[in-house]
Amino acid sequence: MNWTSPIVYPSPQGYGAGNWSDAYRKAEVMVTLMTLEEMNNVTLGVVDSSNGCVGISGSAPRLGFPGFCLHDAGNGVRNTDGVSGFASGIHIGASWNATLAYERAQFMGAEFKRKGVNVALGPVVGPIGRIAEGGRNWEAFAADPYLDGILGAQSVVGLQESVIASVKHFVAYEQETNRNPIGNSGGTVLSTSANLDDRTMHELYLWPFQDLVYAGAGCVMCSYNRINNTYACENSKAMNGLLKGELDFQGFVVSDWVGQHSGMESANAGLDMAMPTTTYWNERQLENAVNTSALNRTRLADMATRIIATWYQFGQDSALPLGAGMPPNILLPHNYTDAKDPASRPSLLQQAVEGHVLVKNVNNALPLQQPKVLSIFGYDAAQQDAYVPDGSFWQQNWEAIGLQPLQLNGIASNNPVSDPPEVMNGTLTVGGGSGSNSPAYLSSPYDAIQARAYNDGTAIFYDFVSGHPNVVTSSDACLVFINEYASEVWDRPGLSEPNSNILVSNVAASCNNTIVVIHNAGIRLVDAWIDNPNVTAAIFAHLPGQDAGRAIAQILYGDVSPSGRLPYTVAMQPSDYGNLLGPCQAHGSLSPQCHFSEGVNVDYRAFLARNVTPRYEFGYGLTYTTFNYSNLQIAINATVTAADTVVPVYTNGTTNNNGNNTAIGNGGLESLFGSVGLISASITNTGAVAAAEVAQLYLKIPTTYANASNPATRVLRGFEKLTLQPNATAQVSFNLRLKDVSIWNVTRQEWIVPSGEFSVFVGKSVLDTPLVGSFTI
């Protein structure tokens, strides 16, 4: 099939939908007073070496607009001092806690604000985790659009109490390999093209972005990849048709750094700001194009209006000077700005705790009961040898992964990185690249356990270096700390680092109570040792941020029961992921093509569709107690979508109709977010300790488009986390939105509620659903 992205012009003009009306009135007044040169200037990324902002936008000083400081990342303020190391996206995804996601974003946004940042580059809901080895999967929350959308929306709300959230990466950006063009003697190898159909786009990749736009996101970042052979930052179907048309997005679209590949094409397609600099707009090209009628003046005015309106909408007209708290080089003398808030400390620790997922615990190996002798092994147990801001390695969290010259050459030339590192030498708290963050302090597992040993009178033996350590036979337990690294720029070379597996097996051969903790930046396979009877417990510790050690100590010693659940599927072997294991390759082509032929069936849906049994399924996780589910109640009041229902279809010449359509608001059709009823159940803690349960709702929606290669599967449509005391019972309620019971009708170009029986599954994971029912629409 020859994949071609449709052309959708003109770019919809922002008009102040919902609560944006005042901001637009103010912006329109300012833009009316702007010259064409000033309008052009506010769309640019400019060079400013006076601060540490990763991006500075052009300004209009005559009218009082100073521009924006845009800065990484969605996991905390990067590459500066005086900030906190928050739990990463995947860790919050593993918490399954929307309230915690909001609280995290509140504190994070406040730190950005104190540092003089206007636009925080996050949260991430793309990549969604289509491929298991994706290098940036850890930046997002989960391999599921519903979970991504709920947690991402709460993150937007929390961040935007202080700064503008820049939601990324729009859209279908699912791999690092060939993400940027590569120039060589044979010609330029273009970025990989994500080729996908309309239904897959709506039900999977666009789904979480819709939730975040509905939550009021002020900025969206277009991605590096091509979408159906057109670059995302000049893709008019994606930006004009979907984002600004169908979703009625009122903010501005910014390019990913050096993600712009054209001038007028990207402007007409809906790009509003180019970062970090641009060779396409920086010589007054937009101004000149208006003067020669090559660009409609209304498009340039809309670009400027969207930017200024967003500035007003989120109170940035009273913000600190750009990058005021971030010096360009923190090794040089500077005024130290402490952006941390002491009130955030309990939240930072709680974030770290809740993202841990206990997957094995034989004979109550955990929690530890005042052990007399502990042995601790593994390179991940202690902090890395050095933590000094000495250049780009520190900025990217690459200083302890041992990059070699050949690998660095690949990074510099955009070529795929050969044999990239799989582990970090030290406690892994965050992945690598622009999504990393820079905590003011770090608690390692060894530090925290050593403090417990002092209180308990425990003897500790340790070896953080050897792969074949000596084990003291009197050890009550042997703790093995390993990690699985991932970073922007390259995709992971595997899902189970061999030397770490050897270390675990060697310790288990001499210790009959071996407990394994993995700080993992993504899926980590464990079948090399998980069935060893001497491996009594295993924890996916993910990326907890600065309180990694304090958090794992609380869990190991039973101060709190683990409460995380897997936000992805752990297979038994790499081949179980099928075509979704690794990235698409160029294979010598100048135009690499990546066909998303699996449609919506990624991660757990792919396992269900192919009837493959995982090692640990999506949503799985153990606690120190047990729970019983009962009393399923279903009360749904929805009707089949009428055949004559009409919604806007965004094609050429129809993209400016939203302002006159009262059914449309931020996020698109407002009716999609209305409630169609509740599904509820009762949960009882049947064990002996207090713990949190994550109740999960899955639906199997009747469809007419399922086929043998892509059958309809159950999909997540609700979750609730609640803490219960022993013998206590509580009710959970899942509020279903119209969107949650709808499918995308490609022919009619609208969301419809299909007729038929909807299967209902409520339980502990996608495969463990003790309550089953149905309703018919």
Side-chain angles (χ1 to χ4, degrees):
M1 182 175 182
N2 183 21
W3 291 89
T4 304
S5 188
I7 302 298
V8 180
Y9 293 144
S11 185
Q13 296 178 47
Y15 61 92
N19 65 356
W20 285 74
S21 56
D22 287 344
Y24 262 83
R25 278 194 290 270
K26 294 176 183 177
E28 286 162 357
V29 169
M30 181 183 290
V31 173
T32 299
L33 300 174
M34 282 184 177
T35 65
L36 290 176
E37 180 182 5
E38 286 171 322
M39 292 184 202
N40 192 149
N41 195 51
V42 300
T43 70
L44 307 176
V46 298
V47 176
D48 183 350
S49 59
S50 67
N51 57 59
C53 302
V54 72
I56 294 286
S57 76
S59 60
R62 181 178 66 88
L63 299 172
F65 176 62
F68 285 139
C69 167
L70 302 93
H71 198 65
D72 298 311
N75 304 302
V77 186
R78 181 172 75 99
N79 189 27
T80 193
D81 52 10
V83 295
S84 303
F86 293 84
S88 291
I90 195 173
H91 202 86
I92 297 302
S95 80
W96 290 65
N97 188 333
T99 301
L100 191 65
Y102 166 70
E103 185 179 89
R104 164 183 177 262
Q106 271 189 310
F107 286 118
M108 188 190 302
E111 292 196 10
F112 275 107
K113 180 178 181 179
R114 296 184 193 106
K115 285 293 186 177
V117 176
N118 307 104
V119 181
L121 301 177
V124 174
V125 291
I128 206 167
R130 174 181 180 265
I131 62 169
E133 293 176 348
R136 301 186 79 171
N137 291 352
W138 63 273
E139 294 183 40
F141 301 102
D144 177 80
Y146 181 89
L147 188 53
D148 264 350
I150 299 300
L151 298 178
Q154 289 302 306
S155 300
V156 163
V157 174
L159 281 169
Q160 291 189 159
E161 292 178 9
S162 298
V163 292
I164 300 162
S166 180
V167 178
K168 58 186 192 179
H169 306 85
F170 193 77
V171 60
Y173 170 50
E174 295 296 320
Q175 66 178 62
E176 297 302 282
T177 304
N178 289 105
R179 69 174 188 162
N180 282 321
I182 302 171
N184 55 42
S185 57
T188 299
V189 179
L190 304 178
S191 298
T192 188
S193 177
N195 299 330
L196 67 162
D197 61 73
D198 192 38
R199 178 205 160 207
T200 299
M201 173 64 83
H202 280 83
E203 293 190 15
L204 188 61
Y205 298 100
L206 187 65
W207 178 292
F209 285 96
Q210 183 175 32
D211 283 349
L212 274 62
V213 172
Y214 181 74
C219 176
V220 169
M221 179 188 290
C222 54
S223 52
Y224 286 127
N225 55 291
R226 292 179 293 155
I227 307 164
N228 295 335
N229 284 292
T230 300
Y231 276 105
C233 291
E234 59 189 63
N235 192 301
S236 64
K237 173 62 177 176
M239 292 187 289
N240 290 344
L242 298 178
L243 180 61
K244 293 181 176 180
E246 190 177 316
L247 303 191
D248 203 31
F249 175 60
Q250 299 296 299
F252 68 95
V253 178
V254 64
S255 71
D256 204 340
W257 269 228
V258 200
Q260 182 192 34
H261 299 292
S262 65
M264 295 310 107
E265 293 92 339
S266 58
N268 280 320
L271 182 65
D272 301 306
M273 181 185 291
M275 278 287 152
T277 56
T278 173
T279 58
Y280 298 102
W281 296 349
N282 64 328
E283 298 293 337
R284 301 170 69 171
Q285 292 99 321
L286 297 175
E287 174 191 356
N288 294 334
V290 170
N291 287 329
T292 61
S293 299
L295 178 69
N296 195 310
R297 190 182 195 280
T298 59
R299 171 79 272 256
L300 180 56
D302 181 63
M303 295 163 74
T305 301
R306 286 175 173 274
I307 292 166
I308 303 301
T310 308
W311 182 65
Y312 280 124
Q313 175 73 357
F314 300 103
Q316 299 306 300
D317 52 327
S318 60
L320 294 172
L322 306 189
M326 296 191 299
N329 186 341
I330 64 175
L331 289 177
L332 298 177
H334 62 278
N335 293 323
Y336 176 76
T337 299
D338 189 354
K340 304 187 304 300
D341 181 356
S344 70
R345 291 175 186 168
S347 178
L348 285 158
L349 178 57
Q350 191 66 18
Q351 294 164 38
V353 167
E354 290 200 29
H356 288 73
V357 181
L358 178 68
V359 295
K360 182 178 183 181
N361 191 24
V362 177
N363 296 327
N364 297 318
L366 291 177
L368 301 173
Q369 303 292 334
Q370 293 186 315
K372 294 182 175 59
V373 180
L374 278 181
S375 291
I376 303 177
F377 305 106
Y379 53 87
D380 183 82
Q383 294 186 34
Q384 61 198 56
D385 291 339
Y387 184 71
V388 179
D390 57 355
S392 62
F393 275 29
W394 185 80
Q395 296 170 18
Q396 309 283 347
N397 191 31
W398 289 350
E399 72 273 22
I401 59 173
L403 287 170
Q404 300 302 305
L406 184 61
Q407 295 163 336
L408 292 171
N409 289 338
I411 293 170
S413 61
N414 289 329
N415 278 293
V417 178
S418 60
D419 299 319
E422 290 190 67
V423 300
M424 174 178 171
N425 188 21
T427 304
L428 181 63
T429 64
V430 66
S434 62
S436 63
N437 50 38
S438 315
Y441 94 103
L442 175 64
S443 168
S444 73
Y446 177 70
D447 292 336
I449 294 169
Q450 187 181 50
R452 293 299 186 109
Y454 176 82
N455 292 330
D456 291 348
T458 304
I460 292 185
F461 298 94
Y462 61 88
D463 184 341
F464 307 144
V465 178
S466 176
H468 300 268
N470 294 317
V471 179
V472 175
T473 57
S474 60
S475 299
D476 293 306
C478 299
L479 307 178
V480 184
F481 289 89
I482 59 177
N483 62 53
E484 193 76 16
Y485 187 80
S487 176
E488 181 185 9
V489 181
W490 62 83
D491 292 308
R492 296 166 58 192
L495 301 176
S496 181
E497 198 272 324
N499 289 329
S500 300
N501 291 336
I502 292 171
L503 169 62
V504 172
S505 296
N506 286 339
V507 172
S510 301
C511 183
N512 63 6
N513 189 21
T514 298
I515 297 165
V516 184
V517 178
I518 313 168
H519 285 114
N520 55 310
I523 294 168
R524 211 294 183 178
L525 303 190
V526 294
D527 270 54
W529 42 263
I530 196 67
D531 285 331
N532 187 321
N534 285 350
V535 175
T536 54
I539 297 174
F540 287 104
H542 294 109
L543 302 173
Q546 65 184 40
D547 282 321
R550 295 176 66 207
I552 192 61
Q554 287 202 354
I555 291 170
L556 291 174
Y557 283 85
D559 297 347
V560 62
S561 173
S563 65
R565 304 293 186 271
L566 292 176
Y568 48 75
T569 300
V570 178
M572 294 185 184
Q573 55 194 351
S575 60
D576 289 344
Y577 293 101
N579 294 332
L580 301 181
L581 173 62
C584 301
Q585 302 291 339
H587 297 301
S589 171
L590 295 180
S591 181
Q593 304 291 307
C594 186
H595 301 308
F596 289 24
S597 57
E598 71 286 344
V600 298
N601 286 336
V602 303
D603 197 75
Y604 69 88
R605 296 195 233 187
F607 281 74
L608 288 170
R610 294 179 291 116
N611 196 28
V612 177
T613 301
R615 166 60 67 176
Y616 299 119
E617 70 270 20
F618 180 85
Y620 176 81
L622 303 174
T623 68
Y624 293 154
T625 189
T626 55
F627 295 95
N628 180 67
Y629 283 67
S630 62
N631 193 29
L632 177 65
Q633 300 288 324
I634 301 172
I636 303 298
N637 182 24
T639 57
V640 175
T641 302
D644 58 352
T645 299
V646 177
V647 296
V649 177
Y650 297 97
T651 58
N652 278 332
T654 70
T655 53
N656 280 322
N657 296 339
N658 287 352
N660 298 321
N661 190 337
T662 57
I664 300 290
N666 295 308
L669 275 174
E670 293 187 344
S671 60
L672 288 173
F673 297 90
S675 175
V676 295
L678 295 173
I679 294 175
S680 63
S682 296
I683 301 177
T684 302
N685 183 343
T686 54
V689 299
E693 173 69 329
V694 179
Q696 302 162 40
L697 166 68
Y698 297 87
L699 297 182
K700 187 173 182 180
I701 301 172
T703 65
T704 57
Y705 49 65
N707 56 58
S709 60
N710 285 303
T713 71
R714 64 186 70 175
V715 293
L716 181 69
R717 286 296 183 264
F719 63 93
E720 185 175 340
K721 189 170 192 175
L722 72 166
T723 300
L724 289 173
Q725 297 297 318
N727 301 314
T729 298
Q731 187 180 65
V732 293
S733 294
F734 308 105
N735 177 41
L736 283 175
R737 308 167 297 181
L738 183 65
K739 177 183 179 184
D740 299 329
V741 297
S742 299
I743 60 174
W744 180 254
N745 187 297
V746 174
T747 303
R748 294 169 58 176
Q749 286 293 286
E750 65 172 317
W751 290 99
I752 67 167
V753 178
S755 62
E757 183 178 82
F758 289 67
S759 299
V760 175
F761 307 87
V762 174
K764 306 174 183 180
S765 72
V766 69
L767 297 183
D768 185 359
T769 55
L771 302 181
V772 177
S774 67
F775 60 89
T776 301
I777 297 178

